[in-house]
Amino acid sequence: QVQLVESGGGVVQPGTSLRLSCAASTFTFRNYAVHWARQTPGKGLEWVALVSYDGGTEHYADSVRGRFSISRDNSKNTVYLQMNSLRLEDTAMYYCARGSGPGSFLILEWGQGTLVTVSS
Amino acid sequence: ENELTQSPGTLSLSPGERATLSCRASQSVGRNYLAWYQQKPGQAPRVLIYGASSRATGIPDRFSGSGSGTDFTLTITRLEPEDFAVYYCQQYAYAPITFGQGTRLEIK
């Protein structure tokens, strides 16, 4: 069973920064792309970012490009989402998810999420 | 960005009935890179179908996907009580990856 455990969520003010972490286990982490997606309470899903298996390729949603940065440390089986200049509309449950392959855009496994609330 | 529109927004059916959910893309989904996810309250999404018609591991055969180009369908034959949930389609052919807005399948 693939395990993805997110952490780092919390309540922050607009304009501040937050770093989310996703710790992976039970699979060969370095072989898979990892995504972040988010879901506003009671609303639908929005894909946020993707990092390839080796960290060499990143993709971002237009809504976060230039503010968020995804990275990974394969020695720690961990992916990070650095979120800067946070806005009220960034409030959401943030999910870490594993791709189906090294650079895959298909999401096969999801973590349970960490909640980020941006509020003044 | 390839916008996905799901219909209906809410579908009310009884256990044992057949459910047909639609997903229409604003642009052709290359190589049929279209997936369907199920989400229950308080849980993360779960992949059901990928490649428009391939069932993910462990997914019962009452779930099936079809379609190509811009029009895709998720069919659930003989609804079970545990099937009542929200369903999302997703295109993963190109970045940005996009999701539909979801179809809520509720018990009639």
Side-chain angles (χ1 to χ4, degrees):
Chain A
Q1 185 80 354
V2 169
Q3 287 201 357
L4 299 162
V5 179
E6 303 92 336
S7 61
V11 180
V12 295
Q13 292 190 327
T16 62
S17 298
L18 199 62
R19 189 176 81 158
L20 306 182
S21 298
C22 170
S25 59
T26 72
F27 66 97
T28 306
F29 178 75
R30 64 180 180 273
N31 289 348
Y32 293 90
V34 177
H35 302 248
W36 286 97
R38 66 186 181 184
Q39 185 169 36
T40 308
K43 301 290 185 178
L45 292 163
E46 180 187 18
W47 173 79
V48 173
L50 156 73
V51 63
S52 62
Y53 72 107
D54 61 354
T57 301
E58 301 164 22
H59 293 280
Y60 296 94
D62 289 345
S63 59
V64 307
R65 185 176 291 111
R67 299 188 300 123
F68 290 12
S69 177
I70 189 171
S71 62
R72 64 190 295 158
D73 184 340
N74 284 347
S75 69
K76 297 181 178 179
N77 285 4
T78 301
V79 169
Y80 305 98
L81 185 67
Q82 177 67 43
M83 305 186 295
N84 299 329
S85 304
L86 283 161
R87 304 169 179 169
L88 297 176
E89 57 265 31
D90 294 320
T91 294
M93 180 71 79
Y94 284 74
Y95 293 101
C96 170
R98 194 194 79 173
S100 64
S104 175
F105 287 5
L106 171 62
I107 294 173
L108 285 187
E109 305 286 349
W110 298 70
Q112 288 304 305
T114 186
L115 184 61
V116 173
T117 303
V118 183
S119 174
S120 55
Chain B
E1 177 174 311
N2 197 345
E3 183 176 345
L4 302 182
T5 302
Q6 293 185 240
S7 60
T10 301
L11 186 57
S12 300
L13 294 170
S14 300
E17 291 192 297
R18 178 189 186 97
T20 303
L21 288 66
S22 175
C23 176
R24 175 164 289 178
S26 62
Q27 306 167 40
S28 180
V29 177
R31 294 164 289 179
N32 286 342
Y33 281 2
L34 191 286
W36 290 92
Y37 298 85
Q38 177 194 67
Q39 188 177 32
K40 297 180 180 179
Q43 296 184 16
R46 174 177 73 144
V47 65
L48 301 173
I49 301 288
Y50 62 92
S53 61
S54 297
R55 267 189 305 277
T57 302
I59 301 304
D61 61 7
R62 65 180 181 273
F63 291 90
S64 64
S66 62
S68 64
T70 60
D71 290 293
F72 299 89
T73 301
L74 174 69
T75 301
I76 314 170
T77 58
R78 304 179 308 277
L79 283 165
E80 297 287 344
E82 61 267 28
D83 298 337
F84 292 90
V86 180
Y87 292 83
Y88 296 94
C89 59
Q90 177 216 40
Q91 72 78 23
Y92 56 96
Y94 310 104
I97 295 160
T98 48
F99 290 91
Q101 82 280 16
T103 289
R104 179 177 303 278
L105 179 56
E106 63 177 28
I107 299 177
K108 187 174 183 179

